[in-house]
Amino acid sequence: MEEQNIESNYLEPEPSSKIIGLTGGIGSGKSTVAQYIENCGFPVYYSDDRAKAIVNEDENLKIKIKDLLGNEAYDHQGLYDRKFVGKKVFNDDELLQKLNNIIHPAVRLDFNNWVSQQTKYLVFKETALLFELNLHLDCYKSLLVTAEDNIRLKRVMDRDGKTYREVESVMNNQMQERDKIKLADYIIYNNTNLDDLKDQTEKVIFEIE
Ligand code: ATP
Protein backbone atom coordinates (compact mmCIF):
# COMPACT_ATOMS: atom_id res chain seq x y z
CA MET A 1 0.00 0.00 0.00
CA GLU A 2 1.22 3.48 -0.84
CA GLU A 3 2.57 5.41 2.13
CA GLN A 4 0.44 8.41 3.01
CA ASN A 5 1.70 11.77 4.13
CA ILE A 6 -0.24 11.85 7.40
CA GLU A 7 0.86 15.38 8.29
CA SER A 8 -0.76 16.85 5.20
CA ASN A 9 -4.14 15.64 6.47
CA TYR A 10 -3.82 18.00 9.41
CA LEU A 11 -2.97 21.19 7.54
CA GLU A 12 -5.50 23.97 8.07
CA PRO A 13 -7.65 24.45 4.97
CA GLU A 14 -6.83 27.58 2.98
CA PRO A 15 -9.66 30.11 3.43
CA SER A 16 -11.15 31.31 0.17
CA SER A 17 -11.24 34.92 1.42
CA LYS A 18 -8.14 37.06 1.69
CA ILE A 19 -7.55 38.01 5.32
CA ILE A 20 -6.49 41.56 6.07
CA GLY A 21 -5.11 42.17 9.57
CA LEU A 22 -6.41 45.49 10.92
CA THR A 23 -4.52 47.01 13.81
CA GLY A 24 -3.48 50.19 15.58
CA GLY A 25 -2.42 51.40 19.01
CA ILE A 26 -4.78 52.68 21.68
CA GLY A 27 -6.99 55.49 20.35
CA SER A 28 -5.64 55.20 16.80
CA GLY A 29 -9.15 54.81 15.39
CA LYS A 30 -9.08 51.13 14.39
CA SER A 31 -12.61 50.44 15.71
CA THR A 32 -13.91 53.44 13.78
CA VAL A 33 -12.17 52.16 10.63
CA ALA A 34 -13.60 48.68 11.26
CA GLN A 35 -17.08 50.20 11.32
CA TYR A 36 -16.46 52.02 8.02
CA ILE A 37 -15.19 48.75 6.52
CA GLU A 38 -18.39 46.98 7.60
CA ASN A 39 -20.42 49.84 6.11
CA CYS A 40 -18.64 49.11 2.80
CA GLY A 41 -19.95 45.54 3.04
CA PHE A 42 -16.83 43.69 4.19
CA PRO A 43 -16.98 41.46 7.28
CA VAL A 44 -14.80 42.24 10.31
CA TYR A 45 -13.79 39.79 13.02
CA TYR A 46 -13.19 41.59 16.32
CA SER A 47 -10.53 39.51 18.08
CA ASP A 48 -10.68 41.24 21.46
CA ASP A 49 -14.47 41.10 21.62
CA ARG A 50 -14.47 37.44 20.58
CA ALA A 51 -11.79 36.62 23.18
CA LYS A 52 -14.02 38.21 25.84
CA ALA A 53 -16.99 36.16 24.61
CA ILE A 54 -15.37 32.76 24.22
CA VAL A 55 -14.02 32.64 27.78
CA ASN A 56 -17.72 32.32 28.66
CA GLU A 57 -18.82 30.18 25.72
CA ASP A 58 -16.14 27.56 25.18
CA GLU A 59 -16.50 24.79 27.78
CA ASN A 60 -13.05 23.31 27.07
CA LEU A 61 -11.45 26.69 27.50
CA LYS A 62 -13.32 27.22 30.78
CA ILE A 63 -11.93 23.98 32.17
CA LYS A 64 -8.38 24.93 31.17
CA ILE A 65 -8.70 28.40 32.73
CA LYS A 66 -10.06 26.94 35.98
CA ASP A 67 -7.22 24.41 36.06
CA LEU A 68 -4.72 27.24 35.70
CA LEU A 69 -6.25 29.91 37.94
CA GLY A 70 -8.71 28.09 40.17
CA ASN A 71 -12.51 27.87 40.18
CA GLU A 72 -12.73 31.50 41.33
CA ALA A 73 -11.83 32.52 37.77
CA TYR A 74 -15.61 32.15 37.24
CA ASP A 75 -18.22 33.78 39.48
CA HIS A 76 -21.27 32.08 41.03
CA GLN A 77 -23.19 32.64 37.80
CA GLY A 78 -20.48 30.83 35.88
CA LEU A 79 -19.20 34.01 34.22
CA TYR A 80 -15.52 34.83 33.71
CA ASP A 81 -14.38 37.06 36.58
CA ARG A 82 -12.18 39.59 34.79
CA LYS A 83 -11.36 41.42 38.04
CA PHE A 84 -10.19 38.26 39.82
CA VAL A 85 -8.15 37.14 36.83
CA GLY A 86 -6.66 40.61 36.42
CA LYS A 87 -5.49 40.61 40.05
CA LYS A 88 -4.15 37.10 39.79
CA VAL A 89 -1.97 37.73 36.73
CA PHE A 90 -0.97 41.28 37.72
CA ASN A 91 2.82 41.31 38.12
CA ASP A 92 3.02 37.58 37.28
CA ASP A 93 4.23 37.51 33.69
CA GLU A 94 4.66 33.75 33.67
CA LEU A 95 1.05 33.14 34.69
CA LEU A 96 -0.18 35.75 32.20
CA GLN A 97 1.80 34.00 29.49
CA LYS A 98 0.23 30.66 30.44
CA LEU A 99 -3.23 32.21 30.33
CA ASN A 100 -2.52 33.73 26.92
CA ASN A 101 -1.23 30.38 25.70
CA ILE A 102 -4.67 28.96 26.50
CA ILE A 103 -6.80 31.83 25.20
CA HIS A 104 -4.95 32.73 21.99
CA PRO A 105 -5.26 29.28 20.32
CA ALA A 106 -8.97 29.25 21.22
CA VAL A 107 -9.43 32.63 19.52
CA ARG A 108 -7.48 31.33 16.53
CA LEU A 109 -9.86 28.36 16.21
CA ASP A 110 -12.85 30.65 16.60
CA PHE A 111 -11.44 32.89 13.86
CA ASN A 112 -10.77 29.95 11.52
CA ASN A 113 -14.33 28.79 12.03
CA TRP A 114 -15.65 32.32 11.35
CA VAL A 115 -13.54 32.82 8.24
CA SER A 116 -14.59 29.48 6.77
CA GLN A 117 -18.17 30.79 6.76
CA GLN A 118 -17.35 34.02 4.91
CA THR A 119 -18.05 34.50 1.23
CA LYS A 120 -16.59 37.96 0.53
CA TYR A 121 -13.21 38.02 -1.23
CA LEU A 122 -11.79 40.25 1.54
CA VAL A 123 -12.32 39.83 5.28
CA PHE A 124 -10.74 41.88 8.05
CA LYS A 125 -9.40 40.71 11.38
CA GLU A 126 -9.24 43.53 13.90
CA THR A 127 -6.68 42.87 16.58
CA ALA A 128 -4.69 45.25 18.78
CA LEU A 129 -1.73 42.85 18.95
CA LEU A 130 -1.40 41.94 15.27
CA PHE A 131 2.34 42.63 15.06
CA GLU A 132 3.17 41.88 18.69
CA LEU A 133 1.87 38.31 18.32
CA ASN A 134 3.14 37.94 14.74
CA LEU A 135 -0.43 37.37 13.58
CA HIS A 136 0.26 39.45 10.47
CA LEU A 137 2.23 36.48 9.17
CA ASP A 138 -1.05 34.56 8.83
CA CYS A 139 -2.70 37.43 6.95
CA TYR A 140 -2.64 38.27 3.28
CA LYS A 141 -1.92 41.94 4.06
CA SER A 142 -1.85 44.19 7.12
CA LEU A 143 -3.60 47.54 7.55
CA LEU A 144 -2.38 49.89 10.26
CA VAL A 145 -4.33 52.85 11.60
CA THR A 146 -2.02 55.33 13.23
CA ALA A 147 -2.11 58.85 14.65
CA GLU A 148 0.27 61.07 16.54
CA ASP A 149 0.63 60.19 20.22
CA ASN A 150 -0.78 63.48 21.53
CA ILE A 151 -3.88 63.10 19.32
CA ARG A 152 -4.46 59.52 20.48
CA LEU A 153 -4.01 60.56 24.09
CA LYS A 154 -6.61 63.30 23.81
CA ARG A 155 -9.12 61.07 21.96
CA VAL A 156 -8.92 58.32 24.57
CA MET A 157 -9.10 60.80 27.48
CA ASP A 158 -12.27 62.26 25.89
CA ARG A 159 -13.72 58.84 25.07
CA ASP A 160 -13.01 57.01 28.33
CA GLY A 161 -12.64 59.85 30.84
CA LYS A 162 -9.15 58.57 31.67
CA THR A 163 -6.27 60.73 32.88
CA TYR A 164 -3.28 61.64 30.75
CA ARG A 165 -1.05 59.36 32.87
CA GLU A 166 -3.42 56.37 32.56
CA VAL A 167 -3.51 56.56 28.77
CA GLU A 168 0.20 57.30 28.56
CA SER A 169 1.03 54.19 30.58
CA VAL A 170 -0.98 51.97 28.20
CA MET A 171 0.71 53.63 25.22
CA ASN A 172 4.15 53.08 26.71
CA ASN A 173 3.42 49.36 27.04
CA GLN A 174 2.45 49.01 23.38
CA MET A 175 4.74 48.60 20.38
CA GLN A 176 5.99 51.97 19.11
CA GLU A 177 4.10 53.40 16.12
CA ARG A 178 7.32 53.76 14.12
CA ASP A 179 7.94 50.01 14.47
CA LYS A 180 4.39 49.17 13.37
CA ILE A 181 4.72 51.51 10.39
CA LYS A 182 7.75 49.52 9.20
CA LEU A 183 5.74 46.28 9.28
CA ALA A 184 2.43 47.43 7.78
CA ASP A 185 1.44 46.93 4.14
CA TYR A 186 -1.19 49.70 4.19
CA ILE A 187 -1.31 52.69 6.53
CA ILE A 188 -4.10 55.11 7.39
CA TYR A 189 -2.87 58.30 9.08
CA ASN A 190 -5.72 59.42 11.30
CA ASN A 191 -4.56 62.88 12.34
CA THR A 192 -7.40 65.03 11.06
CA ASN A 193 -11.15 64.42 11.06
CA LEU A 194 -13.68 61.61 10.62
CA ASP A 195 -14.51 62.56 7.01
CA ASP A 196 -10.86 62.16 6.08
CA LEU A 197 -10.69 58.85 7.99
CA LYS A 198 -13.69 57.54 6.08
CA ASP A 199 -12.24 58.65 2.72
CA GLN A 200 -8.89 57.01 3.44
CA THR A 201 -10.60 53.79 4.55
CA GLU A 202 -12.68 53.53 1.37
CA LYS A 203 -9.63 54.30 -0.75
CA VAL A 204 -7.45 51.68 0.92
CA ILE A 205 -10.07 48.91 0.64
CA PHE A 206 -10.13 49.31 -3.11
CA GLU A 207 -6.34 49.54 -3.33
CA ILE A 208 -5.91 46.10 -1.77
CA GLU A 209 -5.18 43.62 -4.51
P1 ATP B 1 -8.81 51.36 21.46
O1 ATP B 1 -7.58 50.63 21.08
O2 ATP B 1 -8.62 52.16 22.67
O3 ATP B 1 -10.05 50.54 21.47
P2 ATP B 1 -9.31 52.39 18.77
O4 ATP B 1 -8.04 52.33 18.05
O5 ATP B 1 -10.32 51.34 18.48
O6 ATP B 1 -9.04 52.51 20.33
P3 ATP B 1 -11.41 54.31 18.27
O7 ATP B 1 -12.25 53.88 19.43
O8 ATP B 1 -11.88 53.99 16.91
O9 ATP B 1 -9.92 53.84 18.48
O10 ATP B 1 -11.18 55.88 18.34
C1 ATP B 1 -10.84 56.52 19.57
C2 ATP B 1 -11.76 57.71 19.81
O11 ATP B 1 -11.40 58.75 18.91
C3 ATP B 1 -13.23 57.42 19.55
O12 ATP B 1 -14.00 58.15 20.46
C4 ATP B 1 -13.44 57.92 18.11
O13 ATP B 1 -14.77 58.32 17.88
C5 ATP B 1 -12.49 59.10 18.08
N1 ATP B 1 -11.91 59.34 16.75
C6 ATP B 1 -11.25 58.44 15.98
N2 ATP B 1 -10.81 59.04 14.86
C7 ATP B 1 -11.20 60.32 14.93
C8 ATP B 1 -11.05 61.46 14.05
N3 ATP B 1 -10.40 61.35 12.90
N4 ATP B 1 -11.60 62.62 14.43
C9 ATP B 1 -12.25 62.72 15.60
N5 ATP B 1 -12.41 61.71 16.48
C10 ATP B 1 -11.91 60.52 16.14
Side-chain angles (χ1 to χ4, degrees):
M1 208 172 79
E2 214 175 294
E3 224 180 280
Q4 284 212 336
N5 181 355
I6 294 170
E7 242 177 58
S8 67
N9 293 335
Y10 292 93
L11 288 176
E12 280 170 15
E14 279 284 314
S16 54
S17 311
K18 286 178 174 165
I19 300 161
I20 312 299
L22 169 64
T23 194
I26 183 169
S28 60
K30 61 189 169 301
S31 310
T32 310
V33 167
Q35 195 52 61
Y36 293 150
I37 289 170
E38 285 203 71
N39 294 348
C40 289
F42 294 97
V44 180
Y45 179 88
Y46 295 89
S47 304
D48 296 346
D49 292 350
R50 283 303 299 153
K52 283 181 189 149
I54 62 177
V55 291
N56 286 315
E57 290 169 1
D58 180 332
E59 293 305 323
N60 271 335
L61 182 60
K62 278 183 168 183
I63 292 167
K64 287 183 188 163
I65 292 174
K66 284 181 189 170
D67 282 349
L68 181 70
L69 305 174
N71 286 337
E72 306 99 301
Y74 287 82
D75 66 18
H76 57 278
Q77 287 176 305
L79 293 174
Y80 188 72
D81 190 337
R82 202 159 295 283
K83 230 177 188 174
F84 171 87
V85 175
K87 274 190 203 148
K88 190 109 181 165
V89 300
F90 187 70
N91 279 340
D92 189 339
D93 285 348
E94 205 183 315
L95 194 60
L96 176 63
Q97 188 65 48
K98 283 185 183 163
L99 180 63
N100 284 337
N101 287 345
I102 296 173
I103 295 177
H104 291 161
V107 177
R108 193 189 157 92
L109 271 180
D110 183 68
F111 173 74
N112 288 344
N113 183 33
W114 177 85
V115 83
S116 70
Q117 292 163 30
Q118 303 306 317
T119 51
K120 282 274 176 178
Y121 68 98
L122 284 184
V123 300
F124 291 77
K125 182 183 191 182
E126 195 234 279
T127 165
L129 300 176
L130 186 78
F131 297 123
E132 289 86 337
L133 297 179
N134 274 326
L135 298 171
H136 63 298
L137 302 178
D138 297 328
C139 295
Y140 172 66
K141 292 278 160 80
S142 59
L143 169 56
L144 172 70
V145 187
T146 187
E148 285 162 19
D149 288 359
N150 59 333
I151 295 177
R152 296 195 289 134
L153 268 157
K154 173 145 191 343
R155 285 181 185 152
V156 177
M157 285 163 67
D158 289 349
R159 185 193 62 187
D160 298 345
K162 287 193 171 146
T163 65
Y164 185 95
R165 293 266 165 263
E166 282 170 329
V167 185
E168 188 187 44
S169 112
V170 176
M171 276 175 66
N172 289 341
N173 280 318
Q174 294 186 332
M175 189 191 271
Q176 294 289 306
E177 293 303 289
R178 61 173 173 276
D179 295 326
K180 290 183 183 168
I181 286 170
K182 281 186 210 151
L183 292 168
D185 295 307
Y186 296 93
I187 303 172
I188 291 177
Y189 291 93
N190 183 19
N191 291 315
T192 59
N193 54 47
L194 291 170
D195 283 343
D196 174 53
L197 184 63
K198 189 164 174 271
D199 285 349
Q200 287 194 64
T201 305
E202 289 171 1
K203 196 163 165 259
V204 95
I205 291 173
F206 295 104
E207 266 174 21
I208 296 171
E209 300 181 323

